[in-house]
Amino acid sequence: MVKTGDWTVPQLVRYLMGIRDQMPPDELETLQQMAAFPDEERQKEKTRAADQARDELASGTTATTSRSPLKPRTRHRIDALYEPSDSMRNLGLTVLDWGDSPRWRTYSDEAKFLFSIGLQRFPPLREILRLAASEDANVRKLALKYFLEKFSTQYRDYTPDKFGDIAFIPAIDPNGKEFLAKHSQVFLESGCQLLGLAVIRSDLKDDAQTKLKLAKYPSGGAATSAVIRDPPTTEEKAKRLFEYLTNFLGDFDPGSLLQLKVSKIIPTASSKLVKPCECYFKSEVQANLRSKLFTFVDFGARANTFLRTCGVRNAPTPEDLALTLIADPDEFYGLAGGPEGFKVELKYLAANFDYITPSTKQKMKRSPILLGVQRIEEKDTEKDAGVDSSDSTKDGDTVNVSYQLLRADQIVIIDDANLYAEFSDILYGAPQEDTLESFYSSLGSPRLGQLVKEEYKPKGEMRDSPEAIKIRKLVLERLPLFLHRMLASQIRIRPEWMQNSRNFVVKKVGRLVLQKTLVFCGRRAVKDSEASAAAKRETLSNTLVLYIAHNIPLDLYEVANSLCKYIISTPKENDSAAFTLILSTDLATLRRRGYNVDRILNQRKIEREAAAKSAKAGGSAWPNTRTREEAIMDSILQMLDSLDDGNDSKPYTDLLKDLLFFGSGGKHPLGWMQSSSSGAGNGQPTPESDIEKRVKQAINACRPEARNRLQNREGIDFIKESRKECYCDIAGREGDLVRIGAVDNVRIYAGKDVQDPEGLLLKTKSKTIDRFISILRPLKKVYKLPDESLHIFYDLEGSTIAFNSDGALFLNLRYFESWHDTQVKQGELIKAMMAWFFTLSHEIAHNLIGSHSAEHSRFMNEISQAHLLALFDELQLVRFAHITC
């Protein structure tokens, strides 16, 4: 039957059904593989030809051309055909030619037999989706409808990831145009169009999630890509977009949020796009300058929630302000509105300096971000009418004030107004406000007083001058009034010490020439001037001498200003003015102005009398028949005896006594003053000039450490702790030290093993460092060490107390804290000062010789002896301060 083709499908099926039980399995399989079953295409062609003939007959016309013969019948394998139902025909599928008689019934025995051998009852999943993506709109519509209607019975195994390559889903793009989208390109929520993404056609929304399995919105990563690819261009669009993204904010992973933070996705009023990390939220208290320097936004509370997660902050931090200033100082200055507005911002940075990172601080030091002020006086005849920034003096002269943005090391801190007045034509000074001066100093601005070397040249001493006696009496009488309101730590020399005629001397000279030399920023300037008064500390005797000139009227301000430099630790301009007022005003007027003259003078008188009686009882009075040096030695020995309390101070007092008697066989306390402590190798004493030269060489070799990291300090000289003594381990090898900052111009270093060194040292141990520096500061003056040559370091373990790194002196905070900090907190400074005095002399001696030998010990003794008088002076000041406080 199959070969002849003289049969219908129903006939063939009935026959096969009749012999099915007798058919071997291989014949049934052969039948399934055989192209024996026709499709309806030929039948459709016959129907079309019959319809055409009928139409011609009805119209009375005949065809002018012969009709084409019918195509031969096409036969297929059974599994290539679909059941002859209307739904399959409408989908354009190839259906089995069943014929009209008998009528096809899906549940008939014949249908069941055909289904069993391979007839397709419905299209497979991929085929129906292919039809839904057809170019034929009608087929697309029917295929998608069929897929959705039959989903629960025939297509439940649909998973989007297996068919993501087929664009069959009707979608609407952001412009409202319909197109066929792949599963990953279309979403449920209409808000996705704000991201430039397509959404499902509205009539399919009910089935989209359960059957098409569409996502409501894109993943955080996809949304991030969409926003970056097509950011909003107006504030209104941005508001709606950011509000929508808040709905699934939790889907954004940290990587996506970081991408958004550094991408330009936020439009401003000027249509400029900015990054979230570059803008801030608006506030009612927003400063006018901040609004010019930074971008502020406000898209409403809901949208701001999303932006805050992306990195938009409430307000600029000190770090942000510093980086903006560094990026363009001139623009910053212009937006600040000039010097006053700019100083406000500098004060803000100064107040928040601790919150700026070390790397940014380094950039600040190297950038011209600080305001330098230059004041130049011009006579009225030279006045330039075009200068706007000017002040008039009471004499009619004009002071031209100019401002310039400079680096910190190009600006000086004005700690002496007179010096600045003389060199103002070549200097730019820091604004004279404590906050800004401290800020400038932290960034590296030097103090003017440290840059100018003053040399007084008195000409022609006038002995036994009544005016000199009168001025000395005036200073000693009024000095307690001036110092009364000051803290003990601010006072370097107390009135009690100055009462001694050998300690404070006033000399009148015919003429006093003051030569001031400034070396700064590669320039050298020398100024000579006539002075009416000047103070000087004698090197050997340590006497404070006040010179007053005969040739010009005495200016009490010069008296006060020159004395303040020695009497007060850090004098200010108003200190000199206050002392001048007290010197120039009678006691009655001072009493009316609120000075408790009687109480203060009586109190000082009582203290002097008590001190004199105590000294007399102790046998320390200085008879007129004795030399000044002998009296000094007796006073020193008496003080050492009072300190020798048999505990931890005894080693230092014994060592000091040994130094006093060194070279004299213990018979005369002035042996070390009168002859060298060492020989020249030929049995003769070493000349004193050679010793002085050697000591000066060792001191001058001290230097600041410029490196931020000291690595593997091999070959450095260390003082280490042992059970019986302190010694150096020259070949020692220590861990790295890293610089973390500076306190009062003393650089601070920490070992690499110290966790959070900035927090530990600059915050937790800041008071301990301050107390350590309070011990080192007077010792620095004793040795006259170069500025910033002392350094403090901190480690967690090890026996290194101090070391010398090519002239840079390093002292261990850990040992100070363990040995002396408790005493210093209680006001007992002397023992700590003696201990670190010898530590410094040991390290300074290494500037002359590296090894530990008899020669090193001799150099250490020479250095210690040369500075003993200065040390005792500082110890006396500390002692007086402790007694009177």
Side-chain angles (χ1 to χ4, degrees), residues 604-628:
R604 297 297 183 184
K605 182 178 179 181
I606 293 170
E607 290 175 354
R608 288 196 300 272
E609 291 175 353
K613 290 179 181 179
S614 175
K616 186 175 182 181
S620 63
W622 295 352
N624 294 333
T625 58
R626 306 178 69 198
T627 65
R628 182 175 186 278

Side-chain angles (χ1 to χ4, degrees), residues 127-155:
E127 180 64 17
I128 194 66
L129 296 182
R130 185 188 65 78
L131 293 172
S134 171
E135 295 181 358
D136 188 322
N138 187 54
V139 171
R140 287 201 308 267
K141 179 180 178 182
L142 293 173
L144 182 61
K145 181 181 179 182
Y146 185 86
F147 169 74
L148 296 175
E149 289 177 349
K150 303 295 183 180
F151 181 84
S152 58
T153 58
Q154 298 170 188
Y155 301 115

